[in-house]
C-alpha cells in the first residue's frame, strides 16, 4: 500500500513536470528549430522576458522535485555523496548559471549594452535544470514501477507454495 501511494505521488510529480517541460522547452529552444514564437518572447528587446518566462516555468519543476536537493545536499554535507548529490549539483549549477545570466542581461539592458544582453540570452541553461530533474524522475518512476511489479510477482510465487508436503521414500 505504501508502495502504491509512492507510485501515485511520483506519477503526479512526473506528469506535472512534463506538462511544464513542454512549454519550457518550446520557449527555450523554439527559435532554434524555427518554430513560430509569440512576438513578446522573440527578438532583441524581449530576451529578458523570455528568460523570466523560462524561470517561471522552471521553478515549479524544481519545487516538485526538491527531494533531490534535500537528500543530495544533505549527503554531500555529510561527505557521503550519492546519486542525488550528483543530480542536485548538476541541476543546481544549471540553475545558478541561468540566474547569473538573467542578472547580467538585466544589467546590460540597464546600461544600454545589448552585446552583453545577447551574449547571455543565448546561454541561459535554465531549462537544463528542469530537464535534468524531469528525466531523472522518469528513471526513478520506471525503477519504482518495476520494483513494485517484481514484489507482486514474488508474492504470487510465494502464494503458490503448498501448506503441506508429503515425503515419499523408495
Amino acid at each position: 500500500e505504501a508502495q502504491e501511494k509512492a507510485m501515485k505521488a511520483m506519477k503526479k510529480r512526473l506528469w506535472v513536470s512534463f506538462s511544464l517541460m513542454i512549454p519550457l522547452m518550446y520557449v527555450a529552444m523554439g527559435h532554434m528549430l524555427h518554430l513560430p514564437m509569440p512576438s513578446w518572447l522573440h527578438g532583441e528587446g524581449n530576451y529578458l522576458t523570455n528568460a523570466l518566462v523560462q524561470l517561471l516555468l522552471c521553478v515549479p519543476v524544481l519545487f516538485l522535485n526538491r527531494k533531490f536537493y534535500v537528500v543530495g545536499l544533505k549527503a554531500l554535507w555529510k561527505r557521503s555523496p550519492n546519486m542525488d548529490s550528483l543530480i542536485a549539483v548538476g541541476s543546481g549549477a544549471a540553475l545558478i548559471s541561468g540566474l547569473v545570466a538573467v542578472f547580467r542581461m538585466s544589467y546590460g539592458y540597464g546600461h544600454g549594452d545589448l552585446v552583453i544582453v545577447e551574449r547571455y540570452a543565448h546561454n541561459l541553461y535554465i531549462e537544463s535544470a528542469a530537464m535534468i530533474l524531469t528525466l531523472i524522475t522518469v528513471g526513478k518512476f520506471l525503477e519504482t514501477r518495476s520494483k513494485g511489479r517484481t514484489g507482486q510477482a514474488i508474492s504470487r510465487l510465494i502464494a503458490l507454495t503448498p501448506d503441506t508436503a508429503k515425503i515419499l521414500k523408495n
Side-chain angles (χ1 to χ4, degrees):
E1 192 174 312
Q3 183 98 7
E4 237 177 80
K5 190 175 180 182
M7 275 296 292
K8 282 184 181 181
M10 191 175 290
K11 196 176 209 179
K12 181 180 177 185
R13 201 172 82 209
L14 185 61
W15 282 112
V16 172
S17 293
F18 262 119
S19 67
L20 291 167
M21 277 306 303
I22 292 169
L24 177 58
M25 293 308 291
Y26 187 85
V27 169
M29 305 282 178
H31 67 282
M32 292 180 203
L33 301 171
H34 304 291
L35 297 174
M37 297 288 287
S39 61
W40 55 274
L41 281 178
H42 191 15
E44 194 175 272
N46 297 317
Y47 286 142
L48 191 57
T49 304
N50 186 300
L52 292 174
V53 168
Q54 287 184 47
L55 197 57
L56 286 174
L57 289 168
C58 179
V59 167
V61 175
L62 296 174
F63 181 76
L64 283 172
N65 296 293
R66 68 189 176 277
K67 176 187 149 278
F68 294 114
Y69 290 107
V70 172
V71 173
L73 295 177
K74 188 182 289 185
L76 200 58
W77 183 257
K78 292 181 179 181
R79 295 183 183 188
S80 58
N82 56 19
M83 193 58 145
D84 289 339
S85 302
L86 179 65
I87 296 162
V89 169
S91 65
L95 178 65
I96 289 169
S97 171
L99 290 173
V100 167
V102 169
F103 280 108
R104 294 296 296 164
M105 288 168 57
S106 63
Y107 173 85
Y109 275 127
H111 289 82
D113 190 350
L114 294 181
V115 173
I116 289 176
V117 174
E118 189 165 354
R119 181 180 337 138
Y120 284 99
H122 298 295
N123 296 310
L124 284 176
Y125 305 112
I126 293 171
E127 82 285 351
S128 298
M131 181 61 84
I132 289 168
L133 294 176
T134 302
L135 291 177
I136 295 297
T137 302
V138 169
K140 295 273 188 181
F141 173 77
L142 294 173
E143 178 185 15
T144 304
R145 188 177 72 177
S146 67
K147 281 181 182 177
R149 288 182 178 171
T150 303
Q152 287 175 350
I154 290 171
S155 297
R156 287 185 193 132
L157 282 173
I158 290 172
L160 292 175
T161 59
D163 295 331
T164 58
K166 292 181 182 179
I167 298 175
L168 300 175
K169 293 185 180 182
N170 295 334

